[in-house]
Each structure stands twice: as structure tokens, then as C-alpha cells.
Amino acid sequence: MIRIAVIVFIGALAISAGVTALTVSPWWWLVAVLCAGVAGLGTYDLLQKRHSVLRNYPVLGHIRFVLESIRPELQQYFIESNTDGRPFDRDVRSLVYQRAKGTEAEIAFGTERNVYDEGYEYFESSMRPRPVPTEQPRVRIGGPDCTKPYDMALLNVSAMSFGSLSANAVLALNRGAALGGFAHDTGEGGMSEYHLRHGGDLVWEIGTGYFGCRTADGGFDRALFAEKAARDNVKCVSLKLSQGAKPGIGGVLPGEKVTAEIARVREVPEGKTVISPPYHQVFDTPRELIRFIAEMRELSGGKPVGFKLCVGSRREFLAVCKAMIEEGTAPDFIIVDGAEGGTGAAPLEFADHLGSPLTEGLITVHNALVGAGLRDRIKIGASGKVATGADIVKRMLQGADFTNAARAMMFAIGCIQAQSCHTNTCPAGVATPAGYRWSHFTSYAFMSKRLPSICALIVRFRVLTTRTVRSSARTRTLGTSSGATDTVRYPVPGGNARLKRETRSYMGSSRPPPEASVGVHRQPGQSPVRFSGFQ
């Protein structure tokens, strides 16, 4: 009972100090108030039944909770090195910040990474450099059934919904897209006025909740979809099957968060809880999926329509390829979202253990389309921790035609990786749609002055990053008469694997990408066993 005696003793000190303050000097009130506060807190800790630590260690136990609350900051700023932070290390975050601000983004004295570590990735350089292309490479999105193809940039803004991001974060991203000439994915939360105000090219994403084109009972409203898809800003339509952060899970938006503005954007009743199921109501089989995509393309007036998924079962994706062949039509693009994606709040089990990482997902989709004879009509996008020029090149070597970035774009407008996006307490205000930080980040008086500079941050980051991609064309391996060979190494179970992709023109080629080959090194000195094409 020592803790009780200590609390009683401190309470007695408070009383004594109060008496002294009345008789000797008013300065003793400071001691009296301090002791009374400690005694009161200790008494509360002894009586409460929620935390055993506070009950056993009154007052002192609060130190544990204080340290726990600042643990992420201590870890990020004082403990982790430049290369071991997660999900993005200090080097990558600093690179994005520097490029967004237009400052020097070079390093001196060599790499800090151990180039002999297991799993170290590198590109093979060439003895035959080539001139850096001056034009911005683009990828034509649109198959034979598409009448309004779109030329997609190599790096674009990935899907983030209004409501998840604050209003002026969306404004900044869209204006940056308009200035820089790249696309902005709306996310599944609907197409708001903030997506439309500055005229940036939009990829309108439709999720299982059909927000923005939703009937009263939560179904797909074809007339409303056709009306909104006809807008000039909408260049492509993306049907979300799943996302890397939480494949196979839906979502619930509590009624208290469904404000009048959110309700208007999402076409839902104000103040009522909205449920996004983990499945689509409009289709249930692969053939129904392909027919629905064809219907969406027709309703949109011939604009490119595709779908996004985090690859799970390889057999299921092969069934979708078979459905494309049987139906005689196909999506114009497929966006592969890696399990390392992270802008959607999700349970730990889903974020850590569900879905294929981007490398495996890309190779699966690319090889499946090659084997099915569909690769020449379907473009592949890649999203999931894309932040640097090396990330773009790596994903294109693995089968992608273009890439999307979400968190890197958030870094460019001020995100500090506090990992509190879902709590409405984002310290930078980027992911805080309401409250004190929101009012400062998104107030008109503040943002009317800062918005142009924030948009410039996004444009500068993207320009400098894609410039490194074009420069990497000078570091290719020596090629044969059929073209050059680009190589990236990455870890697989059993050894190091080499992903090889031959291209006659490194970027922006109108020729469909060739099949990928993977070589697994069994033992030192042995030739790798190669698996090529559709498996």
C-alpha cells in the first residue's frame, strides 16, 4: 500500500502549503496547486479500472503513455537511419521534398546502401550511351473498341478520394496535374467540384459503392454515369475491383462524417451511414465483368475503360483473360495495385498479409496477357510505393506501361509520414478534412496565396523524377541486333532472380512490350533455369 501512502502524503503537503500560503506568503500557492494536482491525479489513477499500469503506478504510469504517444516521432527523427525507415525511408522522403522544392537532390561521397546485401537491386549500365530524349514519353491508352484514346504520362497521381484528402489537397493535386500534363485519379469517393475546378485530366474511379453514379439502393445508375463520364475532364474510367492497402474488404463511412458536401459528391443521404461492400453488385462472373466494362465504355462515349486490382489468385485472373477472349472485347487498361500500397486505412491483417506485392502482381498480369494474346491491346499501369525514377524504370521493366503515385504526391504537398491519415489529426492538414489543421491548410485566404506554390511543388517533383527516367536510357546493357536488353535484379525464394525485358525503343514505344523472362540462380556457378512467357 506504499502508493496509497505516497498519495496521502502529497495531499497532506498540498494542505500544508495552502495553509502556509494564507499565513506566510502567497508564493506557496504554487506548491499547493502542484501538490494538489499530483494528489488528485494519483487518486483518480488508483480508483480507475481501465488501465492496470496506472492503477499500480499512479502518476508515474503516465510517463509510459507519453513516451508511447511520441514513439513514432522519436523513431523517425532520432533512431532510424537514412535507409531503413518504413514505409518510406528518409532518403526517399528527402528526395521527394527536395525535388518538389526545386533544390539540389544529389548526394555526395557515394551510396549509403550495402551493395552486397542480399536482395540489393540494381540496373546494369551500358557501354553504349544514347542521347536523352527531349520529349515527354506518353502511352496511348485505348484498344480497338475505344474511340477516344488518351495519351497517358509515365507518372500520374494515384487514387485518393475527396474526404480522405482535404479539399485543397485535391485542388492542389488537380491543378498540378493540369500544369504538368499528367492524369489525376479521383479515387472511389466520387468526382467533386475540387477535381473539376482547375481542369486537370481525370481518371474517374468507380468502386463497389458506385459513389457519384449511385442509385438510392446502392446500385449502379447508368444514366448518371453517362452524364458525368461525358465531361471533358474525364479522360478514362477505372473500375476498382480491389486495392493494395486492403484487398477484399469494403468500408463503412459513419453517418456523422457524411456531411452535406460529402453527401452531394457521393450521391448518398446526408447524415446516414454509407456501406461500401467488398464486392460489386452489377456483376459476379468474369464474363459479366468484361461485359460491364464494355457497357461502361459505350456509356462514356468511347472513352478508355479499365479496372484496378491487387492480384490474388492467379487462376482467377486467367479466368478473366479467358472471358476477354470469349466475349471478343477487353478493357483498355489494367492497373495493378501492389500489396505495399498504403493510402487506404485497413486492419493490420489486411495491410500486412493479404494480396500480392507489385512485382509478383505485375509479372502475373503481364505474362497472362502475353500468353492469351491480349497484351497488344491492353496497357498496364502500376501503383504501389512508386516515388523515384528508379521505381518507374523497375516497374516498366516488369511489364508496366505507366505508373501512378499516391504517397509521393502527398509528400510533395507537405505530408510528413505521420501515419495518422485515418484519425482526422494529420499534422500537415493534407489528410484532415475537418478541424483546426484543416482550417489552416485549406482556408481560402491561406490557400489562395499558397495553392500556386503547392501545385508547383507537384509539377517540379514529377518533372525532375521523369527526367531521371529518360536519363536512364543511357545506362542500358549492350543489345543485340533486335534491340537492347534492360535488366533489374530482385529477390525471390531460392536465390536472386533477373527480370529481363527487351525493347527497341526504351520509352514511349508504340510496339507492345515483349514477354518477360525470369532466371532463378540455383547455385553459384550454375546456369539459371529460365521460365519465359505465359505460365
Side-chain angles (χ1 to χ4, degrees):
M1 296 289 101
I2 296 178
R3 62 185 185 275
I4 298 178
V6 171
I7 297 301
V8 172
F9 176 72
I10 295 175
L13 284 179
I15 296 174
S16 299
V19 173
T20 305
L22 292 173
T23 59
V24 180
S25 171
W27 288 103
W28 282 94
W29 282 117
L30 297 177
V31 178
V33 171
L34 178 62
C35 290
V38 173
L41 180 61
T43 302
Y44 172 80
D45 291 343
L46 286 172
L47 296 177
Q48 61 85 32
K49 299 180 180 180
R50 185 176 182 182
H51 298 289
S52 58
V53 172
L54 296 180
R55 195 176 178 89
N56 292 328
Y57 302 95
V59 182
L60 294 178
H62 287 277
I63 299 176
R64 181 256 183 193
F65 293 98
V66 171
L67 293 177
E68 185 181 54
S69 67
I70 62 174
R71 180 183 178 275
E73 287 77 10
L74 294 175
Q75 174 74 21
Q76 182 176 138
Y77 294 114
F78 300 107
I79 298 176
E80 71 180 33
S81 72
N82 288 340
T83 59
D84 63 3
R86 294 291 183 275
F88 288 87
D89 60 43
R90 168 62 60 181
D91 277 351
V92 173
R93 299 197 305 270
S94 297
L95 178 69
V96 177
Y97 295 147
Q98 291 166 3
R99 285 181 174 169
K101 295 174 182 176
T103 59
E104 295 295 330
E106 288 80 20
I107 62 171
F109 224 65
T111 180
E112 294 183 6
R113 302 181 185 273
N114 185 351
V115 298
Y116 294 103
D117 271 350
E118 182 179 356
Y120 175 77
E121 299 175 346
Y122 64 95
F123 300 102
E124 292 184 350
S125 58
S126 173
M127 295 173 59
R128 188 181 60 182
R130 296 186 181 182
V132 180
T134 56
E135 69 281 358
Q136 288 281 351
R138 290 188 172 271
V139 178
R140 175 62 59 91
I141 306 294
D145 299 326
C146 175
T147 59
K148 298 179 181 179
Y150 175 67
D151 292 330
M152 185 78 72
L154 296 188
L155 177 62
N156 308 278
V157 180
S158 196
M160 293 177 284
S161 301
F162 166 62
S164 297
L165 294 185
S166 58
N168 272 310
V170 175
L171 282 173
L173 291 171
N174 189 256
R175 186 170 179 182
L179 295 174
F182 49 96
H184 178 194
D185 194 311
T186 65
E188 64 174 311
M191 186 166 32
S192 70
E193 61 177 301
Y194 307 109
H195 290 101
L196 301 169
R197 185 177 301 177
H198 295 298
D201 293 346
L202 294 178
V203 177
W204 184 19
E205 182 172 283
I206 309 295
T208 57
Y210 307 114
F211 297 126
C213 54
R214 176 186 173 102
T215 61
D217 60 352
F220 180 68
D221 190 323
R222 288 167 171 77
L224 192 56
F225 170 81
E227 176 187 344
K228 293 187 176 182
R231 292 170 173 167
D232 292 337
N233 302 62
V234 178
K235 303 300 181 182
C236 304
V237 177
S238 176
L239 181 69
K240 194 195 87 168
L241 303 183
S242 60
Q243 67 183 97
K246 49 180 180 180
I249 188 173
V252 178
L253 186 65
E256 58 269 19
K257 291 189 176 182
V258 184
T259 64
E261 188 173 38
I262 295 293
R264 184 174 64 255
V265 171
R266 300 198 176 195
E267 302 287 345
V268 296
E270 180 182 352
K272 293 186 177 181
T273 298
V274 179
I275 298 177
S276 298
Y279 54 87
H280 279 271
Q281 302 179 39
V282 183
F283 57 87
D284 190 52
T285 67
R287 297 190 69 166
E288 289 176 354
L289 165 64
I290 299 304
R291 286 197 291 266
F292 182 58
I293 288 176
E295 181 184 8
M296 293 176 71
R297 185 189 297 116
E298 182 180 355
L299 291 172
S300 68
K303 294 180 179 180
V305 177
F307 63 84
K308 180 179 82 172
L309 83 162
C310 177
V311 177
S313 168
R314 180 171 161 221
R315 180 178 299 175
E316 289 181 353
F317 187 77
L318 292 176
V320 174
C321 293
K322 181 180 179 182
M324 297 178 197
I325 296 173
E326 292 176 344
E327 291 294 329
T329 185
D332 300 295
F333 62 91
I334 297 174
I335 298 176
V336 182
D337 204 16
E340 57 267 52
T343 55
L348 182 67
E349 297 86 349
F350 283 80
D352 284 355
H353 303 291
L354 199 63
S356 298
L358 187 52
T359 292
E360 284 72 17
L362 269 178
I363 294 174
T364 296
V365 171
H366 172 73
N367 281 357
L369 293 177
V370 169
L374 298 167
R375 188 61 179 90
D376 59 337
R377 61 187 295 179
I378 302 174
K379 295 298 187 289
I380 299 177
S383 58
K385 288 191 74 172
V386 175
T388 69
D391 296 331
I392 299 174
V393 174
K394 173 182 174 180
R395 297 313 178 189
M396 296 188 74
L397 297 183
Q398 292 171 343
D401 295 293
F402 63 93
T403 63
N404 294 333
R407 286 170 289 182
M409 297 295 180
M410 293 174 67
F411 289 148
I413 60 175
C415 170
I416 61 172
Q417 194 172 282
Q419 296 179 268
S420 58
C421 311
H422 61 298
T423 64
N424 206 33
T425 59
C426 170
V430 176
T432 307
Y436 171 81
R437 298 173 183 86
W438 180 88
S439 65
H440 279 68
F441 185 84
T442 64
S443 66
Y444 179 78
F446 176 78
M447 288 303 295
S448 61
K449 296 179 180 179
R450 179 142 184 237
L451 186 58
S453 63
I454 290 180
C455 298
L457 297 180
I458 301 169
V459 175
R460 278 197 297 266
F461 159 67
R462 186 192 166 279
V463 167
L464 292 174
T465 300
T466 53
R467 184 179 300 168
T468 65
V469 176
R470 299 200 303 276
S471 298
S472 66
R474 297 176 295 174
T475 59
R476 300 190 295 178
T477 56
L478 287 174
T480 63
S481 58
S482 62
T485 301
D486 296 278
T487 306
V488 61
R489 300 181 191 274
Y490 60 95
V492 295
N496 290 327
R498 172 180 297 178
L499 176 66
K500 183 178 292 185
R501 188 177 174 200
E502 293 186 354
T503 53
R504 185 179 299 276
S505 176
Y506 188 72
M507 294 294 177
S509 173
S510 59
R511 186 170 62 89
E515 64 182 38
S517 63
V518 178
V520 181
H521 294 271
R522 298 300 182 187
Q523 294 180 359
Q526 289 187 346
S527 299
V529 180
R530 299 199 176 277
F531 305 92
S532 299
F534 182 72
Q535 305 172 34

